[in-house]
Amino acid sequence: MSKKIAILATDGFEESELKSPKEHLEQQGWTAHIISPKSGSIKAWAEKDWGGEYKVDRTLDEASSNEYDALLLPGGVINPDNLRTEEKALTFVREFFDSKKPVAAICHGPQTLINAGVVKGKKMTSYHSIKQDLINAGAEWVDEEVVVDMGFVTSRSPKDLPAFNKKMVEEIKEGKHEDR
């Protein structure tokens, strides 16, 4: 069955955390769109320096969560820090949680989820430096390579991408989690 996944990102996303999951989703025969507050392209951060540029498929103004089966939030330090102050991005995120669609976030990606107000009571993981932020926002933080809480998938860092990609696909195949 064909699926359509939104990847919410802006300049400064960690390149491997967008590229690897996007390729994995497309290997399933699914469509993965990069959604951003800005049009044109966004620039990756590749470990210690700027990386490649990626074409934005739709801006937040053009995209609707109703068009997508799931949401992916890559990390990077700059990317979520910018997205979490963008009200349209926070609304977009909330819509996926409200409609109980699968959401996957890796590394620093959960910072956006804190500002969207959707982590309280959720079991999750992240990059260690934002552990306390998530706990303060009401999440149950654990140090594991991948954590799943009713269709909500989180991982710690690029090292966890194989497990993250596998679980993300599993949850997207399951679809909505009505009991979330």
Side-chain angles (χ1 to χ4, degrees):
M1 176 188 269
S2 184
K3 301 280 186 179
K4 198 169 170 185
I5 294 84
I7 302 172
L8 181 59
T10 193
D11 292 319
F13 62 90
E14 182 61 47
E15 191 159 24
S16 64
E17 295 171 3
L18 185 147
K19 186 178 180 187
S20 172
K22 185 177 192 299
E23 288 172 353
H24 197 74
L25 292 165
E26 290 169 344
Q27 286 167 1
Q28 311 306 309
W30 299 343
T31 302
H33 283 167
I34 296 175
I35 312 296
S36 183
K38 62 181 242 176
S39 61
S41 64
I42 54 176
K43 197 161 182 67
W45 187 261
E47 294 181 36
K48 301 193 185 312
D49 204 352
W50 289 104
E53 294 212 8
Y54 288 71
K55 180 186 169 295
V56 171
D57 295 293
R58 293 219 172 118
T59 64
L60 278 166
D61 287 333
E62 299 165 335
S64 166
S65 64
N66 296 331
E67 302 171 67
Y68 296 96
D69 299 295
L71 174 65
L72 166 63
L73 294 163
V77 177
I78 301 165
N79 169 57
D81 199 49
N82 286 328
L83 287 176
R84 68 185 184 164
T85 62
E86 180 76 44
E87 193 51 49
K88 286 180 183 169
L90 300 178
T91 298
F92 192 68
V93 166
R94 282 186 210 107
E95 289 169 350
F96 282 88
F97 276 88
D98 291 347
S99 61
K100 301 177 180 12
K101 293 178 182 177
V103 174
I106 187 166
C107 202
H108 287 79
Q111 283 183 310
T112 304
L113 302 175
I114 293 169
N115 286 42
V118 296
V119 301
K120 188 172 185 174
K122 302 280 190 274
K123 182 178 180 184
M124 59 189 297
T125 194
S126 67
Y127 195 69
H128 64 88
S129 67
I130 64 167
K131 168 186 175 180
Q132 196 60 50
D133 299 329
L134 287 163
I135 291 169
N136 290 346
E140 178 193 337
W141 193 92
V142 294
D143 186 12
E144 296 173 13
E145 73 175 353
V146 66
V147 176
V148 180
D149 185 343
M150 306 305 293
F152 177 40
V153 182
T154 52
S155 281
R156 302 170 299 195
S157 73
K159 294 184 314 228
D160 300 329
L161 279 165
F164 178 74
N165 290 343
K166 182 177 180 222
K167 278 295 182 191
M168 173 183 60
V169 165
E170 214 173 276
E171 293 303 308
I172 292 170
K173 283 181 178 176
E174 287 179 14
K176 289 185 179 185
H177 288 68
E178 295 300 336
D179 43 359
R180 179 163 79 195

